[in-house]
């Protein structure tokens, strides 16, 4: 054993002392030879005979030198270096090809690395919490939308269960931007998430400064406290190290800052992707919050050794048990899932599709470059043949070819990393995308390792087919001048054609996938949302603390609406507490005089709106009337319902005039069309609208305006219009309702964009592949073409023949691709909307595109062929 | 021209070189080759150059040492001598050989029909 180690060490040393050792050997051999000659002379041989015999005895000096080098040094490294030097020389000669190859591979590898890092961040890496695998999301099948639980149930479940170390919660119905920060600098609207006392502890996060909430801060009416998120701390407070202990003025109350969270903890990127969270406030778990209904989102940490299945089984019994004990509460039917799954499951299918798409792109890249290398090596056949004839081992030549392709893919990998870095930069800045954990996206060591692996595998894959073309026998053929039409070159053509056919098949796969998703996306965009988002802007416009009574607030609303309505450029305006696609809450609603069984109690999404809202949003009034400013606290309490709710409560009857039990009794005065408010893909469900002047149960007020003013001039116009009211509108942002719709469709848009990009890239590569193969075939058949033209074939017929040949290739590829797609697109059905997995339009579209592109790619070589001078062609060989 | 290629032949040559150096003291390449030729009656080393491959192997395993000196006729030559480790190796291998040859010898003494 030591022998081997010693030898290795000696070899490494000898590797660096090559020249010295060579010289020493030479002088040793010289001496040896001299002594041999002397001996022979002493034996009586004449001098030149002595020399000759001596040389024979010593052996072949040249091969001895080589073997000596091999024995004493690192032959592997030597050959590798030799191969590398040779590769660089060859590539420099053919720079155009090298640049093209590196570029293509850079794009392919870059896209792969990017998608891999997204998959890694979202699916593979654990969440950025301590021991994230034991964190469980506890949903509630009996709530709408199935994610929240009543506080009372939470408290009892916490006490009774045996599976969880701890359970924490946050208040899921927090309003965006409802804490107005005033004070030294510009006033600003901040978003606060109420969290339970043990929330940070359960997630395993420690504050960077200060502490978490104390028990009295978490009591109802306890001392007002907030914890500041890291991004707010940096942005607004310039990373002030002494922020803890200072007071902030929020909604006209003094609140103490008790802690600052570390940068690694990003609540929004996990629980509310695409939004911004600025503060954490205490969420008291008391009878007061219990009264609010299903409001808490629960996260639990499993005890060590407990499993999620076991916990689910326990909770399956616990839920109904709690309902028995407390029939006055909302029901609790718990559904447990690992937190990671809850956060990313929505996107799992899309990510898998993207990963497969990028793998297909890489396969196309490999086929394309393999083809190119084959072409290049064909022109180097003679060189190879000579080398083999001179004694090069076939394995050596193969190794050298592979070195070439691995070097190319190595350079491609470097380019790819640059591409991926740019991609990551773009993606993490896009906060129009509501994709979770996106801010954690980075190119880390895992991604780099993956990139290297891909590059290496790509290099070998590209090189293997050309490498195996190295002639083992039949050298004679290659050395002869004319080798056209030989079986070797026919095999060569067949190989290249099948590579192109493969490319086309893969490209058609991608195109069909992209086509299906694109059509789904267009369908989604086309869907009738139930409202008209174009030209509608919105801004937060809550009355401040000075409007303490309902009467004052209603007067405020009257005034705001009057001022805004009379502004030129504003067609209509209205108020609402919640915008579609932005937030939701639902209440139980019963028709007066009807009885429902427990499991079937109707629920409806509720909006608190003013007159004018329906008109501004373009929500059609199907019967009855809109609210007016005469619907006041003193007049009859009214309500507007949507079609679906009307059918649910009064099937077959006229809903106008009916009564619901809300607030002691409200009369239905209007029926409207449904609005898609949860997601664009989902139907509206039951909805009801309550006039803002007749209730106090709202947390925010948005002013919506249908306007012809431009986005630039709107803010200043409105600000000056409401000046008499002395509102501080500087804190709020003007948004358009269209933005909300765009954000809701953004994940889908993201996938479509990526897939379309991949398909275009694949199409270009396939076109280039076809062009290369047809060009080569034309070149090979120059003589034949010359003969045909001399015999009278017209240029046109020649062109047609070549294009037919091209199309034949393309059709084979398309047929293979289509057949594969037929089976594989079923996997996409989770992502499709409004199109089937075998949507004929996508399939036909793909075939058309590919055939047209193929014909175009074949046209240029065809034209060149028809311009061949027959005489020159006949003379060439 | 037979060349000594296989591992077994390499091992035998190694052994012979070690034995030569152990018995005769420091020698240069030519001297070692001649001695082995004489001993093996020209069966082993036909191509004298290969001795240098063997010597570099033994050097790497640290079983022999090398130093430059002057030969009999005042030529600069590299002299090889056996090292302590080499002596130990020689002893071990010699014992192995003797044991093997003993076994084979006894085996060959078994006449058929006994």
């Amino acid at each position: 054993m030591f022998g081997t180690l010693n030898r290795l060490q000696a070899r490494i040393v000898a590797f660096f002392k090559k020249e010295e050792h060579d010289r020493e050997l030479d002088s040793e051999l010289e001496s040896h030879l001299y002594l041999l000659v002397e001996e022979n002379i002493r034996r009586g041989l004449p001098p030149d005979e002595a020399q000759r015999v001596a040389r024979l005895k010593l052996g072949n000096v040249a091969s001895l030198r080589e073997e000596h080098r091999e024995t004493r040094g690192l032959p592997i490294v030597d050959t590798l270096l030799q191969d590398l030097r040779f590769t660089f020389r060859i590539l420099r000669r053919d720079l155009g090809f090298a640049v093209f190859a590196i570029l293509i591979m850079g794009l392919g590898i870059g896209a792969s690395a990017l998608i891999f890092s997204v998959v890694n961040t979202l699916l593979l890496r654990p969440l950025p919490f301590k021991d994230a695998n034991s964190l469980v999301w506890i949903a509630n099948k009996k709530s709408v939308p199935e994610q929240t639980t009543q506080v009372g149930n939470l408290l009892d479940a916490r006490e009774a269960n045996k599976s969880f170390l701890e359970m924490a919660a946050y208040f899921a119905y927090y309003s965006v931007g409802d804490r107005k920060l005033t004070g030294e600098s510009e006033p600003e609207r901040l978003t606060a998430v109420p969290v339970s006392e043990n929330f940070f502890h359960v997630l395993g996060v420690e504050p960077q400064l200060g502490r978490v909430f104390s028990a009295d801060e978490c009591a109802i009416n306890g001392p007002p406290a907030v914890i500041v998120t890291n991004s707010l701390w940096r942005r607004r407070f310039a990373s002030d190290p002494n922020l803890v202990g200072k007071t902030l003025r929020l909604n006209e109350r003094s609140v103490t800052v008790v802690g600052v969270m570390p940068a690694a903890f990003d609540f929004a990127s996990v629980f509310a992707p695409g939004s911004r969270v600025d503060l954490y406030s205490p969420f008291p778990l008391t009878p007061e919050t219990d009264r609010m209904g299903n409001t808490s989102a629960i996260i639990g940490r499993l005890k060590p050794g407990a499993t999620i299945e076991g916990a689910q089984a326990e909770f399956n019994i616990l839920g109904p048990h709690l309902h028995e004990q407390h029939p006055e509460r909302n029901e609790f039917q718990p559904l447990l899932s690992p937190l990671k799954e809850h956060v990313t499951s929505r996107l799992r299918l899309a990510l898998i599709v993207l990963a497969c798409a990028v793998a297909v792109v890489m396969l196309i890249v490999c086929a394309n470059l393999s083809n190119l290398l084959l072409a290049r090596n064909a022109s180097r056949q003679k060189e190879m043949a000579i080398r083999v004839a001179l004694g090069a081992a076939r394995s050596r030549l193969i190794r050298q070819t592979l070195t070439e392709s691995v070097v190319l893919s190595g350079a491609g990998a470097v380019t790819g990393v640059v591409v991926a870095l740019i991609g990551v930069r773009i993606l993490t800045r896009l906060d129009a995308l509501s994709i979770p954990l996106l801010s954690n996206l980075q190119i880390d060591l895992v991604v780099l390792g993956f990139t290297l692996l891909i590059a290496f595998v790509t290099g070998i894959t590209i090189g293997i087919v050309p490498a195996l073309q190295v002639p083992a026998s039949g050298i004679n053929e290659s050395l002869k001048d004319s080798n056209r039409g030989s079986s070797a070159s026919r095999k060569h053509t067949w190989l290249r054609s099948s590579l192109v056919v493969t490319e086309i098949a893969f490209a058609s796969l991608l195109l069909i996938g992209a086509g299906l998703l694109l059509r789904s996306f267009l369908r989604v965009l086309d869907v009738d949302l139930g409202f008209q988002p174009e030209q509608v802007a919105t801004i937060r416009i809550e009355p401040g603390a000075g409007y303490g009574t309902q009467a004052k607030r209603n007067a405020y609303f009257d005034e705001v609406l009057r001022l805004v309505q009379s502004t030129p450029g504003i067609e209509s305006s209205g108020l609402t507490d919640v915008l579609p696609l932005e937030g939701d809450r639902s209440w139980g609603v019963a028709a007066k005089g009807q009885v429902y069984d427990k499991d079937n109690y109707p629920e409806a999404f509720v909006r608190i709106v003013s007159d004018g809202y329906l008109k501004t949003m373009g929500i059609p009034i199907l019967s009855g009337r809109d609210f007016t400013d005469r619907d006041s606290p003193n007049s009859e309490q009214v309500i507007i319902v949507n079609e679906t709710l009307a059918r649910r409560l009064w099937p077959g009857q006229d809903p106008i005039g009916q009564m619901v039990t809300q607030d002691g009794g409200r009369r239905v005065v209007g029926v409207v069309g449904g609005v898609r408010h949860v997601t664009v893909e989902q139907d509206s469900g039951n909805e009801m609208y309550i006039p803002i002047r007749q209730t106090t149960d709202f947390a925010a007020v948005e002013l919506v305006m249908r306007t012809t003013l431009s986005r630039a001039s709107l803010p200043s116009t409105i600000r000056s219009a409401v000046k008499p009211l002395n509102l501080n509108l500087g804190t709020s942002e003007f948004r358009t309702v269209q933005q909300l719709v765009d954000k809701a469709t953004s994940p889908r848009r993201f996938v479509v964009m990526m897939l379309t990009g991949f398909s275009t890239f694949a199409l270009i590569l396939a076109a280039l592949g076809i062009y290369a193969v047809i060009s080569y075939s034309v070149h090979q058949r120059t003589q034949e073409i010359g003969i045909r033209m001399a015999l009278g074939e017209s240029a046109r017929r020649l062109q047609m023949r070549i294009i037919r040949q091209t199309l034949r290739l393309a059709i084979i590829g398309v047929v293979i691709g289509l057949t594969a797609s037929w089976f594989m697109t079923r996997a996409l059905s989770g992502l499709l909307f409004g199109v089937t997995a075998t949507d004929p339009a996508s399939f036909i579209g793909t075939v058309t595109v590919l055939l047209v592109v193929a014909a175009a790619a074949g046209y240029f070589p065809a034209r060149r062929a028809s311009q061949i001078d027959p005489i020159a062609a006949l003379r060439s060989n | 021209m037979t060349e000594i290629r296989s591992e077994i032949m390499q091992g035998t040559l190694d052994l012979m070189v070690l034995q030569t150096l152990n018995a005769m003291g420091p020698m240069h390449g030519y001297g070692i080759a001649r001695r082995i030729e004489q001993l093996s009656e020209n069966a082993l080393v036909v191509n004298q150059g290969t001795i240098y491959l063997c010597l570099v192997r033994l050097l790497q395993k640290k079983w022999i040492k090398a130093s430059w000196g002057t030969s009999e006729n005042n030529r600069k030559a590299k002299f090889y001598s056996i090292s302590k480790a080499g002596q130990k190796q020689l002893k071990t291998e010699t014992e192995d050989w003797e044991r093997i040859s003993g076994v084979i010898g006894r085996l060959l003494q078994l006449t058929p029909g006994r």
Side-chain angles (χ1 to χ4, degrees), chain A residues 74 129 193 196 198 210 265 283 335 464 523 762 794 808 872 877:
Chain A
L74 295 167
F129 303 133
V193 177
S196 65
N198 58 353
F265 181 65
F283 179 32
L335 181 60
I464 202 87
R523 285 277 165 86
S794 72
R808 225 176 309 144
N877 58 351

Side-chain angles (χ1 to χ4, degrees), chain A residues 180 540-544 547 556 560 719 722-730:
Chain A
K180 197 156 166 183
R540 287 287 286 268
I541 199 149
E542 261 124 67
Y547 297 89
Y556 166 80
V560 167
R719 288 207 180 99
V722 297
K723 229 186 172 113
L725 281 174
N726 222 350
L727 298 175
N728 208 334
L729 279 192

Side-chain angles (χ1 to χ4, degrees), chain A residues 674-688:
Chain A
V675 164
R676 290 187 179 225
H677 53 87
V678 181
T679 65
V680 177
E681 290 97 336
Q682 240 178 300
D683 269 332
S684 56
N686 298 334
E687 296 170 281
M688 56 188 178

Side-chain angles (χ1 to χ4, degrees), chain A residues 438-493:
Chain A
L438 209 55
S439 53
N440 290 10
L441 199 64
Q442 52 176 257
I443 305 286
D444 59 6
L445 284 177
V446 175
V447 178
L448 281 178
F450 173 80
T451 309
L452 272 173
L453 185 65
I454 288 265
F456 187 70
V457 170
T458 308
I460 301 282
T461 315
I462 292 178
I464 202 87
V465 173
L468 292 177
Q469 293 297 301
V470 169
S473 50
I475 301 173
N476 248 331
E477 286 283 338
S478 321
L479 283 174
K480 279 198 244 169
D481 253 349
S482 112
N483 59 350
R484 219 156 282 153
S486 70
S487 61
S489 100
R490 244 180 296 143
K491 178 168 163 229
H492 186 89
T493 313

Side-chain angles (χ1 to χ4, degrees), chain A residues 36 50 67 122 210 251 287 293 327 332 351 378 392 459 505 701 708 765:
Chain A
L36 273 175
E67 279 178 60
L122 263 57
N251 291 352
F332 180 40
L351 283 177
V701 183
T708 50
L765 282 182

